[in-house]
């Protein structure tokens, strides 16, 4: 590193564009440039098990389990309609109790199914992300901060145009431009040689670098260690 200074954290980052590109890449499959070593290293840097580097296939059993999210409400609705019809014919309050029981059972079962489906989806996502998203340490080589003065006086935030030299966790280094919005006071701390964690799409690293703001301190330390060992 050029210095021991880490750059300030940007204000809340709008990651929708990056996430959209990542999802598009996930649908196409992991980047062809990602080697098993790359995937394993970035999996470690992002806190993902290296053993989960290979894309997982969705089996028939899992598809059936996921379909329960739709089946449970449909079956429950049909059972409730039948119970209501029987209640209307007999005026027996036991059918109302049956309806209440069906609603409670359906709610518990459906919530459980949704939780399990989300857990499976997160597992699949974790196995695919290291092949799509790479991590590294960015060092500021050039910095240009927009003027904080506007028609209303001094703005609370400014846009900083940065040119970063990126040292990835795995693979060759590269340079990339990055725009980030900072509090005006924080922008004064942006200097050449300051550094911080970044992420990028493996398919186009030079044009997709974004400052990483969503990982915890432990994972950020892993990124620094991985980049230092690269």
């Amino acid at each position: 590193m050029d210095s021991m200074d880490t750059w300030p954290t940007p204000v809340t980052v709008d990651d929708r564009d990056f996430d959209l590109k990542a999802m598009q890449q996930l649908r196409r499959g992991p980047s062809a440039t990602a080697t098993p070593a790359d995937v394993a290293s970035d999996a470690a840097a992002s806190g993902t098990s290296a053993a989960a580097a290979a894309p997982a296939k969705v089996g028939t059993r899992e598809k059936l389990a996921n379909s329960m999210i739709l089946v449970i409400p449909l079956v429950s609705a049909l059972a409730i309609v039948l119970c209501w019809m029987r209640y209307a014919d007999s005026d027996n309050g036991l059918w109302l109790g049956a309806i209440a029981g069906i609603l409670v059972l359906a709610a518990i079962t459906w919530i459980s199914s949704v939780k399990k489906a989300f857990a499976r989806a997160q597992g699949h996502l974790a196995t695919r992300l290291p092949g799509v998203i790479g991590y590294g340490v960015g060092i500021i080589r050039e910095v240009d901060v927009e003027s904080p003065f506007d028609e209303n006086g001094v703005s609370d935030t400014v846009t900083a145009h940065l040119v970063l030299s990126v040292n990835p966790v795995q693979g060759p280094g590269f340079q990339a431009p990055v725009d980030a919005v900072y509090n005006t006071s924080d922008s004064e701390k942006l200097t050449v040689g300051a550094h911080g964690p970044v992420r990028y799409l493996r398919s186009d690293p030079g044009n997709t670098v974004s400052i990483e703001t969503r990982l915890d301190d432990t994972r950020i330390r892993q990124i620094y260690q991985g980049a230092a060992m690269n």
Side-chain angles (χ1 to χ4, degrees):
M1 298 300 172
D2 291 9
S3 75
M4 296 301 293
D5 298 327
T6 57
W7 58 43
T9 303
V11 297
T12 303
V13 179
D14 184 355
D15 291 316
R16 287 176 296 182
D17 185 55
F18 184 90
D19 291 342
L20 176 61
K21 291 179 180 178
M23 292 305 296
Q24 291 172 342
Q25 186 68 43
L26 282 168
R27 294 189 188 100
R28 291 195 295 267
S31 170
T33 61
T35 66
D38 294 338
V39 173
S41 293
D42 278 352
S46 60
T48 304
S49 171
K57 294 182 179 180
V58 179
T60 303
R61 185 175 180 179
E62 183 173 337
K63 290 179 180 178
L64 291 174
N66 290 339
S67 69
M68 295 300 293
I69 296 175
L70 294 176
V71 172
I72 291 172
L74 292 176
V75 172
S76 300
L78 178 60
I80 289 172
V81 169
L82 293 175
C83 289
W84 181 260
M85 292 174 63
R86 295 299 299 270
Y87 169 73
D89 291 339
S90 64
D91 200 25
N92 189 336
L94 290 177
W95 291 110
L96 293 179
I99 291 174
I102 291 171
L103 287 173
V104 172
L105 180 62
I108 294 174
T109 307
W110 187 80
I111 291 173
S112 176
S113 297
V114 169
K115 287 182 177 179
K116 290 178 180 179
F118 269 105
R120 288 190 294 267
Q122 288 176 341
H124 290 313
L125 189 61
T127 64
R128 295 288 297 276
L129 281 179
V132 173
I133 299 177
Y135 294 90
V137 175
I139 305 172
I140 298 178
R141 295 307 183 193
E142 299 178 23
V143 55
D144 179 22
V145 180
E146 293 182 355
S147 172
F149 298 98
D150 57 22
E151 64 275 8
N152 298 319
V154 180
S155 174
D156 292 333
T157 60
V158 294
T159 299
H161 307 285
L162 310 174
V163 175
L164 304 181
S165 175
V166 180
N167 184 15
V169 170
Q170 187 77 20
F174 58 90
Q175 284 199 340
V178 173
D179 290 343
V181 178
Y182 285 90
N183 289 320
T184 301
S185 58
D186 287 339
S187 67
E188 299 173 356
K189 304 174 185 177
L190 293 169
T191 59
V192 172
H195 49 82
V198 297
R199 65 181 181 276
Y200 55 88
L201 297 183
R202 288 179 174 277
S203 57
D204 188 16
N207 296 313
T208 59
V209 167
S210 177
I211 293 175
E212 179 57 75
T213 60
R214 298 186 289 190
L215 298 181
D216 57 37
D217 292 342
T218 299
R219 293 184 181 181
I220 290 175
R221 284 197 295 270
Q222 291 173 339
I223 290 175
Y224 270 83
Q225 292 169 356
M229 294 175 62
N230 182 25

